[in-house]
Amino acid sequence: LPGIHMSQGKGIGDMELRIRGFDVSNIQLLINGIPESSVDEGWIYWSNFTGIEDFAESVFVMKGISNHHPFSRAGGTISVNLVDAASDSLTRFSASYSNLSGNKIHFLHSSGPSRNGFSWALGGTWRYGSGYKDQTWFRGGNYFLNLSKTLGRKNLLQLTIIGCPQRHGQAAAYLPDSI
C-alpha cells in the first residue's frame, strides 16, 4: 500500500514530502478548504506555514485524485482545518527548548460560542534556534485570528487570518554536512 513519506531537511521548514511517490508539485494543500498550493507548478513552500500545527484542529490526508474534491491532485490532498472559535472554549500555553531549532513559546485562546453569536480565537507562536548546520539559524513566529458570527441555525460567517513572519540563515552550498 503506497503511503506518505517525509524527510526532514537541515533547517526549520525544510523538508521533502511525498504521497504515493508523487513529489510536492502533485500534492494539494488546503487550509480551511482553501487551496494554498501554487496554481502553475503546484509547489508548496512549507516554511511559509511553519507552526500551523499549533492552530490545527484536524488534518486529513487523502491519497490520489478525488471525485468529491475539485482541487485534488494526482498525488493526493492534505486538508488542514484550523481552530474554529465557535466550536469550543479553550486556552493553551506551552514552551519548549532544545539545543538546535526546536525552541518554541506558544499560546492560544478561544472564547467558544456566545449568546450573541460572536466568537473569537487568538494565538501566537515564537520559534528560534541555531539549526542543524552552521548558518541555518531561524527566528520567526506565527499569528492566528479567527472571528465567527453565527447567522441562524445553518449559517456561520468566519474570518481567519494567519501569518508566519520569519528570518533565517542559509548555509553556503560548499559547506559539508559534517565538520
Side-chain angles (χ1 to χ4, degrees):
L1 230 170
I4 297 172
H5 169 77
M6 193 251 339
S7 60
Q8 180 67 35
K10 293 183 173 63
I12 293 179
D14 298 332
M15 66 179 241
E16 178 184 327
L17 176 74
R18 293 180 181 275
I19 299 178
R20 298 181 54 235
F22 288 91
D23 71 3
V24 75
S25 64
N26 284 306
I27 298 170
Q28 181 66 46
L29 172 65
L30 303 173
I31 298 178
N32 285 350
I34 300 170
E36 299 297 331
S37 304
S38 171
V39 175
D40 296 330
E41 297 94 17
W43 292 103
I44 303 166
Y45 295 97
W46 290 101
S47 63
N48 293 340
F49 301 103
T50 301
I52 197 165
E53 72 277 3
D54 294 327
F55 312 114
E57 218 170 56
S58 64
V59 178
F60 180 75
V61 178
M62 181 174 43
K63 298 184 283 186
I65 297 175
S66 166
N67 292 333
H68 305 294
H69 204 287
F71 300 112
S72 66
R73 298 237 172 128
T77 303
I78 300 171
S79 182
V80 179
N81 294 312
L82 301 176
V83 169
D84 176 7
S87 63
D88 289 323
S89 174
L90 66 94
T91 300
R92 282 189 223 154
F93 177 80
S94 65
S96 61
Y97 177 79
S98 84
N99 62 346
L100 292 172
S101 58
N103 309 317
K104 177 170 94 169
I105 299 169
H106 165 71
F107 80 92
L108 175 65
H109 179 75
S110 175
S111 68
S114 63
R115 287 187 218 184
N116 62 7
F118 284 101
S119 306
W120 59 272
L122 179 68
T125 303
W126 173 250
R127 294 174 185 260
Y128 60 96
S130 59
Y132 295 100
K133 193 173 179 181
D134 289 342
Q135 300 304 315
T136 58
W137 56 269
F138 181 86
R139 307 279 182 277
N142 304 71
Y143 54 87
F144 169 80
L145 174 66
N146 176 267
L147 303 172
S148 298
K149 170 65 175 157
T150 304
L151 304 170
R153 291 182 170 203
K154 295 185 179 183
N155 298 306
L156 178 68
L157 179 63
Q158 286 193 330
L159 170 68
T160 301
I161 299 171
I162 58 173
C164 182
Q166 58 185 286
R167 293 181 50 125
H168 52 89
Q170 279 190 285
Y174 63 84
L175 287 176
D177 284 339
S178 62
I179 295 179

